[in-house]
């Protein structure tokens, strides 16, 4: 079975980002219903040594839109410091990523296949092909951060389930 680089990446990112959009909406609705300030969620961590909810949201975007950009330039680095954003602003970051991904031309994404990309972090450099990067680095990080954002909201009591996380599967029409 042959599958294009675009088909392997963009619809997968969009499915999970679509799920995350719904998770964020449900989380905000839950906060309003229970009288919880949604801003109290933004810096929530699951453990003291984990990064907060806001970082998880930024990382979902970085490991999708940013990963594709890194594959284009040949260099992928951690996202760096991000400005503090409100819960609603974080929803906007996710919406912007979704819009960006939807507007990518399949031919442009397919042109990335087989190129070299290097993950750089401080003095460490990890060389990949774009295929290896996508499947062994980008996707695992993307799913980890999306899951962690979901888990933080779930830990606060938001009524979320696996179907919320999964978004809309690509079923046969």
């Amino acid at each position: 079975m042959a599958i294009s680089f675009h088909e392997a990446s963009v619809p997968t990112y969009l499915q999970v980002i679509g799920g995350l959009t719904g998770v964020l909406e449900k989380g905000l609705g839950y906060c309003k219903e229970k009288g919880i300030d949604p801003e109290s969620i933004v810096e929530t961590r699951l453990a003291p040594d984990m990064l907060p909810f806001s970082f998880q949201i930024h990382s979902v975007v970085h490991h999708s839109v940013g990963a594709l950009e890194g594959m284009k330039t040949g260099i992928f680095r951690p996202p760096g410091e991000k400005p503090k954003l409100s819960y609603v602003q974080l929803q906007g970051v996710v919406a912007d990523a979704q819009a960006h991904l939807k507007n990518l031309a399949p031919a442009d994404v397919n042109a990335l296949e087989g190129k070299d990309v290097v993950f750089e972090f401080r003095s460490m450099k990890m060389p990949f092909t774009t295929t290896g990067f996508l499947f062994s680095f980008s996707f695992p990080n993307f799913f980890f951060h999306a899951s962690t954002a979901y888990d933080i909201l779930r830990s606060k009591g938001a009524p979320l389930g696996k179907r919320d996380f999964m978004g809309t599967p690509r079923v046969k029409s």
Side-chain angles (χ1 to χ4, degrees):
M1 170 182 86
I3 185 169
S4 74
F5 203 68
H6 177 273
E7 186 64 23
S9 59
V10 174
T12 301
Y13 290 138
L14 284 170
Q15 179 181 340
V16 174
I17 286 175
L20 183 59
T21 298
V23 163
L24 291 170
E25 287 172 13
K26 270 190 162 180
L28 185 59
Y30 175 78
C31 286
K32 288 178 180 176
E33 175 186 320
K34 299 295 182 182
I36 299 168
D37 180 4
E39 301 319 308
S40 69
I41 305 291
V42 172
E43 293 304 313
T44 297
R45 301 165 186 254
L46 289 176
D49 64 345
M50 285 186 82
L51 291 164
F53 181 79
S54 59
F55 179 84
Q56 307 307 324
I57 300 300
H58 285 298
S59 293
V60 167
V61 173
H62 188 65
H63 285 284
S64 56
V65 173
L68 290 167
E69 185 60 30
M71 287 185 256
K72 183 178 175 183
T73 65
I75 304 285
F76 182 79
R77 295 181 181 100
E81 215 40 51
K82 295 289 183 188
K84 290 193 180 222
L85 300 178
S86 70
Y87 190 100
V88 171
Q89 288 172 318
L90 290 170
Q91 286 180 290
V93 167
V94 173
D96 290 347
Q98 189 175 42
H100 178 82
L101 289 165
K102 284 180 179 178
N103 287 322
L104 291 173
D108 292 342
V109 177
N110 289 336
L112 301 174
E113 184 177 8
K115 293 188 173 219
D116 290 336
V117 61
V118 177
F119 172 64
E120 293 183 352
F121 181 63
R122 297 184 183 139
S123 64
M124 179 186 66
K125 294 183 183 198
M126 295 172 65
F128 292 95
T129 64
T130 51
T131 302
F133 176 77
L134 176 68
F135 288 103
S136 72
F137 192 84
S138 175
F139 278 166
N141 275 285
F142 174 75
F143 290 124
F144 173 83
H145 293 293
S147 297
T148 303
Y150 166 95
D151 292 341
I152 289 170
L153 283 170
R154 189 73 183 97
S155 76
K156 292 296 186 180
L160 301 169
K162 181 169 66 170
R163 286 186 183 179
D164 296 307
F165 174 82
M166 288 181 59
T168 305
R170 292 171 281 173
V171 297
K172 182 178 177 180
S173 53

